[in-house]
Amino acid sequence: MADNGRPELANNRHRLPTLNEVLQRRTLAPVDLFSFYIYMRDQQRSVDYLDFWLDVLQHMSLCRHYVRELRRSVLLDTPEAETKQASKRSSMILDQFGQLNNGGPSSDEEKARDHNVSAFLRQDTNNSGSDHDTRGANGTNHSPQSSLGSGRSATGVPFGRGTGAEKPTRPSFMSSALRTTSDSNSPAHQVARADLRASAEKILYTYLLAGSEREIILQQDILNDIISSIEDDHRDDPEVFDAAKDYVFQAMERDAFPGFLRSKALGNLVPPSMFARLILGIIGIFGGLWAGFACIFLDLNRSTRAFLIIPFAIGVYSLASQQYALDPVMALLGFSEYTFMNWSRIRDPYIRQLLLKRGWMSLCVTLLVATAIIILFIFVPGKRL
């Protein structure tokens, strides 16, 4: 998931990554954004919060692209004598907006820049009128039922609140129809103001309204402010979601990210695989004990008893893997499990070193315990009953 220039950051990092670095795609497998998404979906069962955060980030990118295209159209349409004066304010705001951080909670400096951009977009709305599209080449007016991802039906009822209301398509950070961040002059890459409105409504109707398909829990005052801003004030600027974005980031950082690091930085197994190894370990230990006592009471020779190493080794290895959430052999080979029986190569150097150390430790414990058990059963005197 890391960009071509990003692996250098991971190679120079001699510590565990932060959530901010993961969300900015500055980390490598198994602590990259893809692995965190899988963890939130399969183990934390709260992937809707991560999808909300990513969709808000996408909305900010859409706003950035809109402002960039708006400035470009001003430069092309304004006479040369008036260009500098007319585009001075939009250029300043665009420069500030381009420096926004893509991940983590909003800093005071970022909030100030975000406020400037939001003020610019609100002024653009007032100047253009609520029904006029300042960027649309076809001049189409915006309506909730015609917007992409809108959650209102033709009667104005949000999704999930009316009889026969359709469910919105489940969004994903992997692909989206609103991901238009190219600098291309092609009309296919143009962003209309209606697209910003549709993007804001999509977030509202998908995640925030009571009874929505993927409703997330936010503080009531934050939720009320967002609903009022979008539905009453007709706002679609990035500042609308600032408080919710920071709240969700802090919730993920507090409740989900520590478990993710324990799962991926200190282990390489997922819970279904750990449960399977627990069952296999119990079967191996009981099988070894049954065979061991049978060898003693049948007074079999020691060379025959040596084969007891097989069930005991399998049992101890499986139980140790379950206990440490780590398969030592796969860790030494450089693989980590992201879903049941699906493995990916460990690319983060620091994580690889951690798992190598834990893998050798787990393997030594396994060999020590298995050897002690087999020696006990080999040298205990036999007595045929």
Side-chain angles (χ1 to χ4, degrees):
M1 295 293 294
D3 297 334
N4 293 335
R6 299 286 172 84
E8 295 182 1
L9 298 174
N11 291 333
N12 295 330
R13 174 175 44 78
H14 302 289
R15 54 172 175 79
L16 294 175
T18 63
L19 177 59
N20 191 14
E21 291 171 337
V22 171
L23 295 176
Q24 289 187 27
R25 297 179 173 89
R26 295 185 178 180
T27 55
L28 300 175
V31 288
D32 56 345
L33 180 57
F34 176 76
S35 299
F36 185 57
Y37 190 91
I38 296 296
Y39 173 83
M40 293 287 287
R41 184 193 69 185
D42 296 345
Q43 299 185 40
Q44 198 69 17
R45 306 291 184 182
S46 55
V47 72
D48 291 345
Y49 288 86
L50 179 56
D51 267 333
F52 168 78
W53 195 95
L54 292 168
D55 282 351
V56 170
L57 189 66
Q58 178 181 299
H59 179 72
M60 295 175 63
S61 298
L62 199 67
C63 292
R64 181 188 299 113
H65 190 71
Y66 171 79
V67 175
R68 182 184 297 115
E69 291 294 324
L70 183 61
R71 177 181 178 239
R72 182 175 299 167
S73 68
V74 170
L75 293 176
L76 292 176
D77 298 339
T78 305
E80 184 176 355
E82 303 176 5
T83 297
K84 292 184 179 179
Q85 181 178 1
S87 62
K88 181 178 180 181
R89 183 171 182 271
S90 62
S91 300
M92 177 186 66
I93 294 179
L94 178 64
D95 293 339
Q96 293 175 338
F97 192 58
Q99 298 172 357
L100 285 177
N101 188 8
N102 285 336
S106 303
S107 63
D108 293 338
E109 203 174 301
E110 179 182 343
K111 285 181 178 179
R113 291 194 296 264
D114 197 16
H115 176 75
N116 290 336
V117 176
S118 298
F120 174 79
L121 291 177
R122 289 196 297 270
Q123 183 181 14
D124 181 56
T125 300
N126 295 333
N127 291 339
S128 303
S130 59
D131 294 328
H132 179 66
D133 183 3
T134 60
R135 288 288 299 119
N138 53 8
T140 304
N141 290 337
H142 170 68
S143 64
Q145 53 265 43
S146 65
S147 64
L148 182 60
S150 172
R152 288 191 181 276
S153 64
T155 59
V157 180
F159 278 117
R161 292 196 172 190
T163 305
E166 296 182 0
K167 295 284 186 178
T169 303
R170 180 179 178 88
S172 171
F173 81 98
M174 301 297 290
S175 61
S176 174
L178 290 177
R179 190 176 294 278
T180 53
T181 56
S182 170
D183 290 333
S184 171
N185 289 319
S186 170
H189 292 284
Q190 291 182 352
V191 178
R193 187 59 189 265
D195 293 330
L196 302 187
R197 177 70 182 174
S199 176
E201 287 181 344
K202 174 188 174 183
I203 295 174
L204 174 64
Y205 300 137
T206 303
Y207 301 102
L208 302 179
L209 291 183
S212 57
E213 181 190 20
R214 307 180 65 188
E215 182 182 1
I216 63 175
I217 305 302
L218 296 177
Q219 292 180 354
Q220 193 61 41
D221 56 338
I222 296 177
L223 185 60
N224 291 338
D225 289 343
I226 294 176
I227 294 176
S228 175
S229 297
I230 295 178
E231 295 193 334
D232 298 336
D233 302 336
H234 304 288
R235 290 176 54 187
D236 50 29
D237 52 275
E239 198 177 32
V240 171
F241 300 105
D242 259 1
K245 177 171 175 280
D246 291 350
Y247 179 86
V248 169
F249 180 91
Q250 293 167 7
M252 291 191 298
E253 188 175 43
R254 179 184 64 249
D255 300 331
F257 193 64
F260 170 71
L261 289 182
R262 285 194 300 271
S263 174
K264 297 301 180 182
L266 302 179
N268 64 349
L269 296 178
V270 296
S273 183
M274 293 168 58
F275 181 75
R277 289 163 191 270
L278 175 62
I279 300 300
L280 181 61
I282 293 175
I283 293 174
I285 291 296
F286 276 97
L289 291 174
W290 176 84
F293 283 112
C295 290
I296 292 174
F297 294 128
L298 291 176
D299 196 16
L300 299 180
N301 56 48
R302 292 177 179 177
S303 60
T304 302
R305 298 187 196 181
F307 286 100
L308 294 173
I309 190 66
I310 297 176
F312 281 123
I314 294 175
V316 174
Y317 183 90
S318 299
L319 291 178
S321 298
Q322 189 273 337
Q323 179 66 29
Y324 293 109
L326 177 72
D327 187 312
V329 173
M330 298 304 292
L332 296 179
L333 293 177
F335 288 94
S336 179
E337 191 178 33
Y338 60 94
T339 57
F340 184 63
M341 298 303 293
N342 290 315
W343 301 83
S344 63
R345 185 167 292 279
I346 302 172
R347 302 188 180 278
D348 190 289
Y350 183 74
I351 302 301
R352 183 177 177 85
Q353 291 299 320
L354 280 179
L355 292 180
L356 280 176
K357 294 177 182 178
R358 287 177 59 83
W360 280 117
M361 180 194 70
S362 178
L363 202 57
C364 290
V365 170
T366 299
L367 292 175
L368 182 63
V369 174
T371 302
I373 295 175
I374 193 61
I375 288 176
L376 177 65
F377 277 94
I378 286 178
F379 291 100
V380 168
K383 181 177 177 62
R384 189 176 184 86
L385 298 178

